Amino acid sequence: MTVSDIVKTHCTGCCACMNMCPKNAIQMVTDEEGFYVPQVNAEICVNCGKCYSGCPGNDDHHVDESLTGYLVRLKDSVHLKNSASGGAFVGIASHMIKEYNALVVGAAITEDLSVKHIIIESTEQLIKLQNSKYVQSYVGNVYQQVRKALEDGRTVLFSGTPCQIAGLYAVVPLKKRERLYTVDLVCHGVPSPALLRRQIEMDSKSKQGRVVDYRFRYKNPNAESNSSYMMMMMMMRGLPLVRRTAQDVYFNLFMQGLDFRESCYNCKYANLKRIGDFTVGDCDSREFYPYFHPSESNSILLINSKKAAHLWDDFSVLFDFTELDVHREAEYNHQLNHPFKRSEQRDGIYEELLNEEWSVIKNKYAIPQSKIDRYKLLALLNTPAWVRKILSKIRRRLKG
Ligand SMILES: Cc1cc2nc3c(=O)[nH]c(=O)nc-3n(C[C@H](O)[C@H](O)[C@H](O)COP(=O)(O)OP(=O)(O)OC[C@H]3O[C@@H](n4cnc5c(N)ncnc54)[C@H](O)[C@@H]3O)c2cc1C
């Protein structure tokens, strides 16, 4: 048996098999939907079976049922602004770099605008890993690099989706994990990189030249740290293209869960048996904590192992925090409870998304956006806090 025998609904594209193969007989290619899948070169393969038996798709390892959880907000307002929510990840990562000289691994947007896992070693580089990239990140041979660094005595903090943490554990045996710390994300599911590429290509036909960068979540630099879910394409010239989720094909499909990798609908990590030492996510039970930075995006931080609890004692001073009722959060934050439910609309959707005229796709999967709305959004995203307060007072008076 080789990894080719793993069924499509179980292969997460984590790249563990490629990293494990003693003969380098496996490379990752993309399937017809643009998702990463392993391809075994039969001429090199010696049928040792390592890729099959070691595949996390066959395995069921987890750390512990989450010990404790907190609602957290990083005190450092500069780092906080670049984070998707309350800066849980960057708080842990900066502590690990400063105190342990650790290597930090996570997902970054690369020069070709794809998303890949990279390794960084300074706090200045952390910005590359911050903020959510709502697409499958390509791990490549990073697990091997992590294994080597651990063998060389380095401390490593690895962050990613739970299936990527499982991939890492498949490559790094337990006895070598003493200096390895992991952060998993509460994860909705991942769309195909090919769809994001298509949307970027379409937006690159704009009069403002090509897309040079993009973001899914944005915090107004002049107001509180509340992050807006927006598709923001930074262009070669002029103002960014900015669309609300429903106005954007890619984001709309992501939010509705219509375009995830097939394995995401069977995700075995979508529960409270977390695989990472830490779990970070958004807080969906925020209404129960009205006293905790109510107008800001806060993170949940779950402490899943004794190793993590020990570290938390040291770095908790970096955060404002309050204890989280983890089980109640799981009632609201569904990916802590069960995988996203697959809709029948998912059948064959990629054939349409990758081949149909873009104008047809836009009409079907996004609501139109007027030019005025685009400028209004841009203005709102940059309006200073004090102007916002006055505007909302005026609005309330007009209403009442
Ligand atoms: C695909 C995806 C789906 C998510 N779905 C949910 C959800 O349903 N519910 C929920 O509560 N939270 C979800 N999150 C997590 C959420 O978006 C925030 O990352 C979380 O609130 C932590 O925010 P932060 O401020 O600590 O860190 P951030 O600034 O968001 O930190 C970034 C961290 O996310 C990692 N990361 C970013 N993009 C990717 C990627 N594509 N693949 C792997 N790792 C990545 C980086 O490596 C880094 O560790 C999801 C994140 C992703 C990437």
Side-chain angles (χ1 to χ4, degrees):
M1 292 265 208
T2 73
V3 76
S4 317
D5 298 301
I6 302 284
V7 288
K8 192 171 180 174
T9 47
H10 283 65
C11 172
T12 62
C14 72
C15 299
C17 51
M18 181 175 86
N19 282 259
M20 271 186 290
C21 177
K23 294 285 173 192
N24 284 330
I26 301 176
Q27 58 165 335
M28 299 305 283
V29 295
T30 47
D31 67 9
E32 64 291 349
E33 297 186 333
F35 288 105
Y36 305 117
V37 287
Q39 187 179 61
V40 181
N41 183 335
E43 282 176 22
I44 309 176
C45 174
V46 291
N47 278 312
C48 67
K50 275 195 177 158
C51 56
Y52 183 83
S53 58
C55 171
N58 278 332
D59 204 357
D60 215 5
H61 38 199
H62 59 261
V63 186
D64 255 327
E65 181 112 356
S66 177
L67 299 176
T68 18
Y70 299 94
L71 184 56
V72 303
R73 179 177 175 271
L74 192 70
K75 289 178 186 165
D76 174 340
S77 58
V78 178
H79 270 142
L80 182 64
K81 278 281 174 205
N82 296 316
S83 298
S85 57
F89 163 72
V90 77
I92 305 172
S94 54
H95 175 76
M96 295 305 288
I97 293 175
K98 281 182 196 148
E99 299 300 321
Y100 296 87
N101 189 25
L103 298 176
V104 177
V105 189
I109 300 178
T110 54
E111 264 182 39
D112 64 358
L113 300 186
S114 61
V115 174
K116 294 191 179 119
H117 262 59
I118 63 162
I119 304 181
I120 59 145
E121 40 191 327
S122 71
T123 48
E124 290 74 34
Q125 294 170 298
L126 274 172
I127 191 163
K128 294 184 185 172
L129 308 188
Q130 282 181 269
N131 216 290
S132 303
K133 295 95 188 173
Y134 292 131
V135 67
Q136 181 160 36
S137 168
Y138 181 67
V139 172
N141 67 1
V142 164
Y143 302 141
Q144 281 177 7
Q145 295 179 47
V146 170
R147 185 180 162 139
K148 169 88 177 46
L150 291 167
E151 285 167 354
D152 291 346
R154 293 293 299 261
T155 298
V156 180
L157 179 75
F158 183 100
S159 65
T161 57
C163 52
Q164 290 166 338
I165 309 286
L168 175 68
Y169 290 169
V171 177
V172 179
L174 191 58
K175 58 179 190 297
K176 296 199 176 184
R177 288 188 218 151
E178 203 188 325
R179 280 184 297 275
L180 174 66
Y181 295 84
T182 53
V183 180
D184 73 45
L185 302 170
V186 181
C187 181
H188 201 56
V190 288
S192 153
L195 179 60
L196 182 59
R197 203 175 324 114
R198 182 150 200 231
Q199 173 143 338
I200 290 173
E201 274 165 22
M202 294 303 139
D203 282 333
S204 290
K205 292 182 177 166
S206 141
K207 278 185 214 135
Q208 292 154 252
R210 63 182 170 80
V211 174
V212 292
D213 200 2
Y214 55 91
R215 289 191 80 128
F216 295 93
R217 289 175 72 164
Y218 180 78
K219 285 177 181 166
N220 183 333
N222 304 309
E224 307 94 344
S225 284
N226 195 8
S227 68
S228 309
Y229 287 80
M230 301 271 168
M231 189 48 152
M232 203 174 221
M233 296 283 184
M234 270 56 108
M235 310 304 291
M236 211 158 77
R237 296 182 292 275
L239 295 169
L241 302 180
V242 50
R243 295 182 286 261
R244 300 169 203 272
T245 50
Q247 294 166 339
D248 185 80
V249 171
Y250 185 87
F251 221 153
N252 200 16
L253 289 166
F254 172 73
M255 290 308 240
Q256 292 189 47
L258 290 178
D259 59 352
F260 295 162
R261 189 180 175 103
E262 289 291 1
S263 59
C264 298
Y265 301 107
N266 298 298
C267 178
K268 57 185 177 187
Y269 311 104
N271 51 50
L272 280 180
K273 292 177 178 161
R274 306 306 299 176
I275 191 156
D277 293 308
F278 297 98
T279 295
V280 298
D282 298 317
C283 181
D284 289 351
S285 60
R286 67 184 78 78
E287 67 202 75
F288 295 97
Y289 310 90
Y291 51 88
F292 191 81
H293 302 283
S295 54
E296 317 230 346
S297 297
N298 302 308
S299 302
I300 58 165
L301 173 61
L302 310 187
I303 314 287
N304 308 321
S305 65
K306 294 204 173 72
K307 234 167 146 183
H310 181 72
L311 271 188
W312 167 248
D313 287 343
D314 292 340
F315 71 71
S316 55
V317 30
L318 301 177
F319 292 95
D320 283 345
F321 62 90
T322 188
E323 199 156 333
L324 178 81
D325 182 331
V326 178
H327 290 275
R328 185 167 60 197
E329 173 65 14
E331 283 170 33
Y332 288 77
N333 198 338
H334 301 301
Q335 272 61 53
L336 285 172
N337 222 331
H338 54 77
F340 200 94
K341 194 169 174 317
R342 188 186 186 284
S343 149
E344 276 180 11
Q345 272 182 280
R346 172 67 177 77
D347 299 346
I349 200 168
Y350 271 99
E351 204 181 323
E352 182 186 14
L353 294 173
L354 299 181
N355 301 304
E356 184 57 273
E357 284 286 319
W358 192 247
S359 55
V360 176
I361 292 171
K362 256 171 63 178
N363 275 340
K364 188 163 170 189
Y365 295 112
I367 58 170
Q369 182 188 38
S370 66
K371 253 193 186 159
I372 294 180
D373 188 60
R374 178 177 161 221
Y375 292 124
K376 196 170 129 193
L377 267 184
L378 280 169
L380 261 179
L381 291 174
N382 292 287
T383 309
W386 63 272
V387 179
R388 283 176 155 221
K389 269 189 197 144
I390 293 175
L391 286 175
S392 76
K393 259 189 196 165
I394 296 173
R395 231 177 279 131
R396 271 203 302 272
R397 279 217 185 127
L398 286 174
K399 269 190 191 163

